């Protein structure tokens, strides 16, 4: 199995990139989705999150108000660290289970905190996706309905993109069209395919 780690700051186009890699034949593990899964009712992180953040984040049906939780942690670095200390170990367990059970020759692990959570060390190579800040803000406003101020808070809460880019094996600058991005992804995919052992 060849493991590609993919990361990048919020609204740099990671979901689009993941879909392209799925279409090319990769198995994709979405750490962000796993982070959502482990705090659902009945899951191991659910009561821990309520214990840390209070009943105000619980909806009448028992699920968590993710938007409210997001507002809390993106405006308070210490609260964000508390949430990460709960969620990251649980996500790590889920990732390990997926990697142990996969039969795919190429697996892509997408995580916004790939480096911070120590997941990059598992990977054969790491791709970092970058975008200009104005594009990030525009995507957040269009895709999530955020105000410019709320979008800026989320973008500014993360480390500068260049810090991640310096640690990457491959930097993909998502500044052009979808076709531009697809062309870049297909070229990198072809390179990796050439390094894999031939399938019987």
């Amino acid at each position: 199995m060849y493991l590609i780690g993919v990361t990048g700051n919020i609204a740099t186009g990671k979901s689009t990139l993941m879909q392209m890699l799925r279409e090319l034949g990769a198995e994709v593990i979405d750490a962000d989705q796993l982070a959502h899964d482990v705090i659902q009712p009945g899951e191991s992180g659910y009561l821990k999150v309520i214990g840390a953040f209070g009943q105000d984040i619980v909806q009448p049906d028992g699920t968590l108000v993710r938007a409210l939780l997001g507002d809390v942690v993106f405006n308070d670095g210490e609260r964000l660290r508390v949430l990460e200390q709960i969620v990251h170990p649980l996500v790590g367990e889920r990732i390990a289970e997926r990697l142990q059970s996969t039969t795919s020759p190429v697996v892509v692990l997408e995580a916004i905190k790939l480096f911070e959570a120590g997941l990059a060390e598992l990977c054969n190579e790491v791709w970092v996706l970058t975008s200009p800040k104005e594009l990030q803000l525009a995507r957040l406003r269009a895709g999530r309905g955020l105000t410019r101020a709320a979008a800026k808070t989320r973008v500014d809460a993360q480390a500068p993109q260049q810090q991640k880019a310096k640690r990457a094996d491959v930097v993909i600058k998502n500044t052009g069209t979808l076709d531009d991005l697809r062309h870049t992804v297909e070229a990198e995919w072809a390179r990796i395919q050439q390094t894999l052992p031939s399938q019987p």
Side-chain angles (χ1 to χ4, degrees):
M1 177 194 68
Y2 195 87
L3 181 59
I4 305 169
V6 172
T7 191
N9 282 6
I10 193 169
T12 52
K14 295 185 299 298
S15 296
T16 302
L17 176 65
M18 292 302 99
Q19 183 56 39
M20 291 178 180
L21 287 167
R22 280 191 189 93
E23 292 169 0
L24 288 168
E27 177 179 343
V28 171
I29 300 174
D30 182 344
D32 187 47
Q33 182 59 53
L34 294 178
H36 295 158
D37 292 346
V38 299
I39 61 172
Q40 294 302 308
E43 295 291 343
S44 48
Y46 177 73
L47 292 178
K48 292 179 182 178
V49 170
I50 294 173
F53 293 92
Q55 288 289 333
D56 288 345
I57 63 168
V58 183
Q59 301 187 93
D61 66 358
T63 59
L64 303 183
V65 186
R66 283 178 42 208
L68 180 57
L69 183 60
D71 287 342
V72 170
V73 300
F74 277 113
N75 285 293
D76 186 333
E78 185 56 40
R79 304 298 295 280
L80 178 59
R81 282 187 286 276
V82 169
L83 181 62
E84 289 174 346
Q85 286 168 0
I86 295 170
V87 172
H88 283 178
L90 301 174
V91 170
E93 291 173 6
R94 297 286 178 95
I95 290 170
E97 291 168 3
R98 289 281 301 274
L99 292 177
Q100 288 171 3
S101 64
T102 187
T103 58
S104 297
V106 180
V107 178
V108 180
L109 171 59
E110 187 266 308
I112 198 165
K113 297 276 188 175
L114 190 80
F115 293 115
E116 297 88 336
L119 297 171
E121 298 167 10
L122 303 174
C123 302
N124 296 98
E125 63 179 70
V126 172
W127 297 8
V128 170
L129 198 61
T130 65
S131 279
K133 184 174 181 178
E134 284 303 317
L135 263 181
Q136 291 177 273
L137 295 175
R139 288 176 184 138
L140 284 172
R141 295 183 70 186
R144 303 192 190 182
L146 298 179
T147 64
R148 181 179 174 84
K152 188 174 184 299
T153 296
R154 282 163 168 72
V155 170
D156 291 346
Q158 298 179 324
Q161 297 184 67
Q162 197 56 33
Q163 288 185 14
K164 291 180 178 178
K166 286 178 180 177
R167 301 173 68 180
D169 298 295
V170 176
V171 177
I172 298 177
K173 297 178 180 179
N174 188 17
T175 59
T177 66
L178 279 177
D179 284 342
D180 292 335
L181 179 60
R182 183 173 286 106
H183 178 76
T184 300
V185 170
E186 288 176 349
E188 293 296 340
W189 180 260
R191 172 184 59 80
I192 289 170
Q193 293 302 306
Q194 291 175 356
T195 69
L196 297 177
S198 299
Q199 297 297 310

